[in-house]
Amino acid sequence: MPELNWDVLASICGRVRDVPTILSMTLTCRTLHIIAVKRLLETQVVTLKDTRSILSFHHFINADRTTRLPFVRKLKIDILSERIDEDSRSEAVQSLLDILQQSTYLDSLALPHPNSTYRALGCDPRFPEIVARLSTLRDLALERWWAPIEEILTHTFSPLRALRISLDGLPGDAPLTPDRLYSLLQRVSPTLEVLQILGKAVSFVDRQRNDVTFPAMRSFEVAESCQLDWIWTADLVRMFPALDGTLAFEGLYYLFNGGVGRIHRENRESQLQKTWTCLERVIGDIEIVYSLGLVCPVRHLMLDRVCEHTKDWLGDILHNTFPTHVKLSIDLSHGMHILDDLLPPAIFPRLTHLILVFTFCDYTSLLDNSILADMQTTQWSAFLTEIITALEETRLTHLRIVLQCSMDQRNYMSRPYSKELVSAVRDLGEGPEALAVKFISTFPTLRYVFLMTTGDSNDDYVPPGVSPPAHDSGDYSYLVRQGQWLSSSGWRNVVGTPERLASDVMEELIEAEDLFLTKKDHVSDVCQHSVGILRAIGHPTDRFSFVC
């Protein structure tokens, strides 16, 4: 095609995001091959994990430096010591350092295990020095503690916009103060928009400082740590005046009781003078989120550790934030009747997406006789009726139900439980369509329903269709060990009839509609075990987030 304008074609190809399409382009002709390789380097993360990948990529970019090096945008370096051959360590280290130095347009660098990588490289001091000297990074992830982290942060030349960093190795056990945080991040504070801190709580006890500010910050997340002190919302508003993305305190909980109401009132009053316009997402333990006393709209609210004793807090949070998307992780061991008046009617006109994660365990620290009785006698049909009753006035378009069971009669805190409920939940995995029909026929506004059941039990049960003998003969071969189970399905409402979705379509919809779970839901032992089972039988688990 002699009249084809290659610049126009290159511009069109620059908008292609589908990886199989880009790979197909590399097989057409030399010109399109060059364009496609550029596009791959621009959009895909290059992972360097061993001697072979380092040397191969080093050879690849140097085979055509002018058309490849300027387009290397995203690197992930995750090397374990045994993955570097002793005989070729020197060559691998030098090649990796060359890649970092030559990638002058690098936007993103991720080091999931920087300490392991550092040791695998023979603790070569040039590695952290080169990382600190990089001047084009917009996104940096150091997800485990590494001694040079502080040196890198305080000397970096990059105008970082996103930073995910582990600070659990900083000297001292005390939480991170705003002053200490600012001293670490002062060089990037003018440009930093997203900050995720791993393994270190942030203390707001010292309320005297008023000069610590991150003017560009839009999302602030603290994860994998324990919060020792109350969080003062006024301090957050002052430190992050432009916050409009995610505010998350995942994995956190308070180590003392009492005072929640007082802190809630003080935080709410402080926002009468100044607060954020709106937030895209708030994630955290219900006690922490309640204590924040938020008064601005929140589009997506994700609350953990919801139970019957915190239902009043839930109503207050929902009434003052008016979310369209809500995820509630509900602990049923503190009472099976939490669904009574669970959601305030005031939010029904706006609420369209709802995720309910129910966890039913046979152990509890509570000795309330009514709760213990409910744990033994609640039937699945009655519980399902409570779910439907709680939602009957809503106008939901997307509903996701997750039912988790964890039974261990060997635990000294275990209590008798409703085996009928657990067996019914397990059996839902074999026939989820009936439940999908129930929801879609009851709620005509629903467009999609996603169902998941997962469990772990060392107890036995009577399988469906099997009748135990009338007299105890001592033969219990008809019993089946519960073990572990996991099932997941998605359904589309087609004129009042549920149509099952293919697994890849279900994943895409959950991602597109923001129906993910939180880290506390993801790290349950049941889900981790189930992932192991799927991997053992060859089932793909790279995008398992939709399940657990």
Side-chain angles (χ1 to χ4, degrees), residues 400 450 506-516 546:
R400 185 178 185 188
F450 301 93
M506 179 169 58
E507 292 181 27
E508 291 172 1
L509 279 170
I510 285 177
E511 182 175 357
E513 296 295 338
D514 218 355
L515 294 170
F516 291 114
F546 82 95

Side-chain angles (χ1 to χ4, degrees), residues 194-389:
V194 178
L195 174 61
Q196 187 173 48
I197 299 173
L198 306 175
K200 196 77 169 179
V202 181
S203 173
F204 294 96
V205 170
D206 181 7
R207 306 184 68 187
Q208 305 304 313
R209 290 195 56 90
N210 55 19
D211 58 342
V212 174
T213 181
F214 295 81
M217 190 75 70
R218 302 186 64 182
S219 291
F220 177 67
E221 304 177 41
V222 181
E224 301 175 11
S225 67
C226 176
Q227 186 66 30
L228 301 173
D229 307 308
W230 295 113
I231 300 171
W232 300 101
T233 309
D235 290 350
L236 291 173
V237 173
R238 187 190 67 248
M239 288 177 62
F240 314 122
L243 202 74
D244 62 1
T246 297
L247 178 63
F249 294 94
E250 287 195 79
L252 301 183
Y253 53 90
Y254 291 126
L255 291 184
F256 49 87
N257 296 316
V260 183
R262 177 180 62 83
I263 303 301
H264 167 82
R265 289 190 296 272
E266 287 193 33
N267 277 332
R268 177 157 295 176
E269 291 171 2
S270 72
Q271 294 174 80
L272 296 177
Q273 299 176 357
K274 184 180 181 181
T275 190
W276 301 296
T277 303
C278 64
L279 294 173
E280 174 68 13
R281 183 179 289 103
V282 172
I283 307 172
D285 182 286
I286 188 171
E287 184 178 15
I288 290 183
V289 176
Y290 175 72
S291 72
L292 293 175
L294 297 173
V295 296
C296 66
V298 177
R299 186 191 69 88
H300 192 176
L301 192 65
M302 308 181 76
L303 300 176
D304 295 319
R305 294 181 67 214
V306 179
C307 67
E308 195 165 315
H309 299 90
T310 60
K311 192 159 61 174
D312 290 342
W313 295 350
L314 175 62
D316 184 279
I317 295 169
L318 293 173
H319 185 77
N320 287 281
T321 55
F322 286 96
T324 61
H325 294 54
V326 172
K327 191 233 64 162
L328 304 176
S329 293
I330 299 173
D331 181 1
L332 296 175
S333 67
H334 284 200
M336 299 291 294
H337 299 293
I338 184 176
L339 291 167
D340 297 340
D341 301 318
L342 177 69
L343 304 174
I347 73 166
F348 290 168
R350 283 179 53 82
L351 184 63
T352 59
H353 293 59
L354 179 63
I355 304 173
L356 296 176
V357 181
F358 296 102
T359 301
F360 181 59
C361 303
D362 64 344
Y363 49 88
T364 178
S365 58
L366 303 178
L367 298 178
D368 186 294
N369 289 331
S370 63
I371 293 177
L372 295 178
D374 285 342
M375 288 179 61
Q376 296 181 56
T377 60
T378 297
Q379 304 292 295
W380 165 245
S381 58
F383 186 66
L384 177 58
T385 299
E386 290 191 24
I387 295 176
I388 291 175
T389 302

Side-chain angles (χ1 to χ4, degrees), residues 114-115 142-150 166-171:
N115 209 35
L142 302 168
E143 300 179 13
R144 294 291 185 274
W145 173 250
W146 183 30
I149 279 181
E150 192 167 356
S166 172
L167 296 177
D168 60 348
L170 285 175

Side-chain angles (χ1 to χ4, degrees), residues 49-64:
K49 59 182 181 180
D50 51 25
T51 301
R52 180 176 177 274
S53 60
I54 294 172
L55 297 181
S56 296
F57 187 66
H58 184 259
H59 174 76
F60 170 77
I61 59 174
N62 281 286
D64 193 349

Side-chain angles (χ1 to χ4, degrees), residues 407-439:
M407 307 294 140
D408 186 359
Q409 289 292 290
R410 298 167 297 187
N411 191 312
Y412 76 96
M413 294 178 65
S414 65
R415 303 286 188 267
Y417 67 93
S418 172
K419 295 191 176 184
E420 189 280 336
L421 175 63
V422 175
S423 296
V425 168
R426 180 188 177 102
D427 295 340
L428 284 173
E430 301 298 325
E433 184 173 4
L435 186 56
V437 169
K438 183 72 171 177
F439 282 120

